[in-house]
Amino acid sequence: MKNIYKILIVFIGILAVSCNADAVDERPVLDAVTAPEITAPTTGQNYVLEVDKAADEAVKFTWSAAKYSTSVAIKYTLLIDKKGGDFTAAKTLATTTSITEASVLVKDLNQVAIDLGGKPEVAAMYDVKIASNVSGGFVQTGKDVITISVTPYVGKVDYNFSDWYLVGDATVSGWDNNKGNQILFRSGTNANEYVFTGFFKKGYFKTIKNLGSWAPMYGGANGALVYRATDGDADPASIEVPADGYYKFKMDVQKLTYTFEPYAAGATAPIYSTVGIIGSATSKGWDASTAMVKSSFNAHIWTLGVTSLNDGEMKFRANDAWDVSWGGKTAFSGGGTGDNIPVSKSKYLIYFNDLDGSYVMIPNQ
C-alpha cells in the first residue's frame, strides 16, 4: 500500500510540472511592430521665441501611433537634440501615455534650446524625433527626424532677494496693503538690510513682504523688530511716527533690529523737475534720459513701470543733464556712488530715491 501512495505522489508531481510548463508556453509574447513617426510640424519650421509670450504654446507636435503585438498602454517621449546630434544628450520636450500629440510652451522650448547650447537671439537648428516604450522596455524610435530652427530669448534673470514695503497711515498707501506702497531700498552689499529715507505723516506703519497680503510682516517697538510669518500669528505692534516730517527708517531682518530717526536734510534738499535713467542698458543709450515718475506724496521718490533694459550699464540723472547724477556698484539695489550700475537684460520695475541715491530694480516683470 505504501508503494502505491509513493507512485501516486510522483504521478501528481509530474502532472503539476507539465501543467505549469503548458501555462508558460501559452502566455502572450509582446513584440514591437511599428515605430511612431512625427506627422506635424514638418521639417524646416522656424520658431522665434519671445519672453512676453513665455506661457503661450510654441508648437504642437503630433505623431502616428506605435504598434505592438498586443494591446498595451504605450508611453511616448518627444526628444530634441542639436542638429546632427546622436540623441545621447537629447532633452525631453514632452511625454504622454497613449496620446499621440503634445503642445510645447514657449518657455519650455526656450529652455531646452538654451540647455543644448543655443545662444539667445541667435537662430540654431535642432532635430526632433519620437520614441515609444511599454513599461520602460520594448523601445521603438521613429526613423524620421524633423529639423526645426529655434531662436531663444535670454530667459529670466536670477533674483534671489526679498522686497519689503511700507504700510500704515504714516505712509503713501495708508492701511491699504496693495495701493502703490512705498518699497524699502535693500542694501547692495547686505541683503538683510533695508532702508527708506523720506517723508512720513504723523501716525503708524509696519512693513509687508507681499503686496496684497498681511503676512509675512514686520512691526516692532523700541528698536526691536517683531516678525509675523503667517496670518495666524499675532499681529506685531506698529512703529510710531510722532509728527509729519522726514525720517530715516532702517531695519535688519537677520538681527531683528530697526532704527527710526529724524532726517533734517530732507526739508532743505533740492527738488528736481525730472529724474531719468540713462546708459547703454536703456533704449536711448547714453544720448538721452528716459524719464521716471515723481511721487505726489514725496517729491524725492521716483518710479518707472515695466521697462525693457539690455545687457549694459546705467545711471540716474536729474534735469536731463550731468550736473547731478547717481549710480552704484551693484546690480538690482544699492546706491550712493558715482559708478555705472551693471544691468542684465530683462524687464524691470525701477525705484529711486534722490535723497540718498538708493535704487531698487526688480527684474522679470
Side-chain angles (χ1 to χ4, degrees):
M1 181 66 71
K2 291 182 179 179
N3 290 333
I4 293 174
Y5 283 137
K6 289 180 181 179
I7 293 170
L8 182 60
I9 291 170
V10 170
F11 175 75
I12 293 172
I14 293 172
L15 181 63
V17 171
S18 176
C19 291
N20 287 340
D22 289 343
V24 170
D25 291 340
E26 293 172 0
R27 285 185 304 183
V29 176
L30 181 64
D31 289 321
V33 177
T34 305
E37 300 290 354
I38 294 176
T39 56
T42 56
T43 196
Q45 298 300 308
N46 181 35
Y47 301 96
V48 179
L49 307 180
E50 301 178 33
V51 66
D52 293 340
K53 300 178 180 179
D56 293 354
E57 178 186 275
V59 53
K60 184 176 184 179
F61 289 90
T62 61
W63 53 87
S64 60
K67 293 182 180 179
Y68 290 84
S69 58
T70 302
S71 179
V72 289
I74 303 171
K75 181 177 180 180
Y76 295 99
T77 305
L78 188 64
L79 299 166
I80 184 170
D81 198 358
K82 57 186 178 182
K83 181 174 173 57
D86 61 6
F87 281 84
T88 56
K91 302 297 180 182
T92 298
L93 279 172
T95 59
T96 69
T97 300
S98 300
I99 297 175
T100 57
E101 63 180 34
S103 292
V104 179
L105 300 183
V106 168
K107 62 181 180 180
D108 296 327
L109 184 57
N110 187 81
Q111 190 60 55
V112 296
I114 295 292
D115 290 344
L116 289 169
K119 305 289 185 184
E121 301 182 357
V122 177
M125 307 301 288
Y126 299 87
D127 291 337
V128 184
K129 67 180 180 180
I130 186 71
S132 66
N133 71 78
V134 176
S135 299
F138 305 96
V139 177
Q140 297 189 94
T141 303
K143 295 180 180 179
D144 295 334
V145 174
I146 70 164
T147 301
I148 61 175
S149 172
V150 179
T151 304
Y153 53 81
V154 174
K156 288 189 174 183
V157 174
D158 287 337
Y159 185 76
N160 301 314
F161 302 100
S162 296
D163 294 299
W164 291 88
Y165 302 84
L166 297 175
V167 65
D169 57 1
T171 73
V172 61
S173 59
W175 285 108
D176 193 322
N177 64 6
N178 195 11
K179 188 181 178 182
N181 300 66
Q182 175 61 55
I183 198 168
L184 297 179
F185 294 89
R186 187 180 59 253
S187 166
T189 56
N190 184 344
N192 296 309
E193 290 182 358
Y194 297 81
V195 65
F196 174 69
T197 303
F199 182 75
F200 288 82
K201 293 171 61 178
K202 175 180 170 59
Y204 296 87
F205 72 91
K206 300 178 182 182
T207 69
I208 54 174
K209 182 178 180 181
N210 302 314
L211 294 176
S213 177
W214 291 107
M217 168 189 284
Y218 283 109
N222 302 317
L225 279 182
V226 177
Y227 182 58
R228 183 192 194 200
T230 70
D231 289 332
D233 295 327
D235 199 10
S238 300
I239 299 170
E240 183 177 5
V241 180
D244 290 2
Y246 285 88
Y247 297 86
K248 182 176 182 178
F249 170 67
K250 185 176 182 179
M251 71 176 190
D252 188 313
V253 298
Q254 183 179 50
K255 298 178 181 178
L256 292 180
T257 59
Y258 76 88
T259 57
F260 185 71
E261 302 170 340
Y263 184 75
T268 57
I271 303 295
Y272 301 106
S273 58
T274 65
V275 165
I277 61 171
I278 189 170
S280 60
T282 72
S283 60
K284 300 178 182 178
W286 291 105
D287 296 325
S289 300
T290 299
M292 302 185 74
V293 177
K294 183 190 294 189
S295 168
S296 60
F297 182 82
N298 184 339
H300 301 286
I301 299 300
W302 305 81
T303 59
L304 193 57
V306 178
T307 303
S308 294
L309 297 178
N310 299 310
D311 291 329
E313 300 175 322
M314 60 163 273
K315 299 180 80 169
F316 300 89
R317 69 174 186 171
N319 301 331
D320 294 319
W322 286 109
D323 297 0
V324 180
S325 65
W326 304 265
K329 295 181 179 181
T330 49
F332 308 127
S333 66
T337 77
D339 301 276
N340 294 341
I341 301 166
V343 179
S344 295
K345 183 174 181 177
S346 185
K347 291 187 176 182
Y348 291 83
L349 288 177
I350 305 174
Y351 304 85
F352 177 69
N353 186 346
D354 70 45
L355 286 177
D356 57 9
S358 295
Y359 59 86
V360 173
M361 302 168 58
I362 304 176
N364 306 319
Q365 300 304 309

